[in-house]
């Protein structure tokens, strides 16, 4: 067991690494690339690989989902004040703030459009918000918070969003949906 350290995620001992994509071809490529490997060097950290398995997304037959993220969700807002004047360049918005629901929904729909899926997806409710966290990524801080949301949409769209993640900067590990 690795001891906690202020300001960093300490790692050590047995655990797991989850990688995902809404595109099955990418998951297949990752699986083939990792097959037969004993060690994965991830940014200077050595992960010993004991086993690997693919995890299929849930079905969502009724077109509804309730998800909680394991990592913070980050989103940029407009940066405009009540008069419509832009006052911030890096306008991060957190769950519960005025622009969050609108920008979150736009993000979901843009992802669906990118994948050629039904874009009629909506945020029905935010049912829980975790503590604000900020992470240094690519030379800047990105603030966000873990969140639990209820969504409505086509089952295939929900499956892809579950595999992609919520909010922005998913490739950096933000907005990962708990499996």
């Amino acid at each position: 067991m690795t001891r906690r350290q202020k300001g960093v995620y300490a790692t050590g001992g047995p655990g797991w690494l989850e990688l995902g994509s809404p595109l099955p071809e990418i998951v297949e490529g990752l699986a083939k690339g990792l097959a037969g490997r004993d060690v994965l060097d991830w940014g200077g950290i050595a992960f010993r690989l004991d086993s690997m398995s693919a995890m299929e997304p849930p079905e969502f037959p009724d077109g509804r989902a309730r998800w909680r993220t394991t990592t913070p969700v980050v989103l940029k807002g407009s940066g405009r004040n009540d008069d419509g004047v832009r006052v911030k360049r890096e306008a991060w918005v957190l769950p519960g703030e005025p622009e969050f629901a609108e920008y979150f929904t736009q993000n979901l729909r843009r992802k669906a459009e990118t994948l050629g899926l039904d874009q009629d997806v909506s945020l029905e409710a935010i049912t829980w918000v975790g503590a604000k966290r900020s992470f240094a990524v690519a030379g800047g801080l990105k603030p966000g918070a873990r969140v639990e949301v209820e969504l409505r949409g086509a089952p295939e769209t929900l499956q892809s969003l579950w595999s992609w993640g919520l909010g922005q900067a998913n490739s950096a590990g933000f907005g990962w949906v708990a499996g």
Side-chain angles (χ1 to χ4, degrees), residues 19-27 30 159-160 163-164 176:
L19 304 172
S21 171
L23 302 172
E25 302 84 17
I26 292 176
V27 173
L30 282 170
Q159 286 181 305
S160 292
S163 298
W164 189 326
W176 194 253

Side-chain angles (χ1 to χ4, degrees), residues 114-138:
T114 298
L115 297 170
L117 300 172
D118 187 342
Q119 298 170 48
D120 186 18
V121 61
S122 63
L123 171 65
E124 299 289 298
I126 298 173
T127 55
W128 175 83
V129 177
K132 176 186 172 189
R133 300 284 309 268
S134 292
F135 292 89
V137 178

Side-chain angles (χ1 to χ4, degrees), residues 135-142 172 174:
F135 292 89
V137 178
L141 287 179
K142 291 187 179 189
F174 290 94

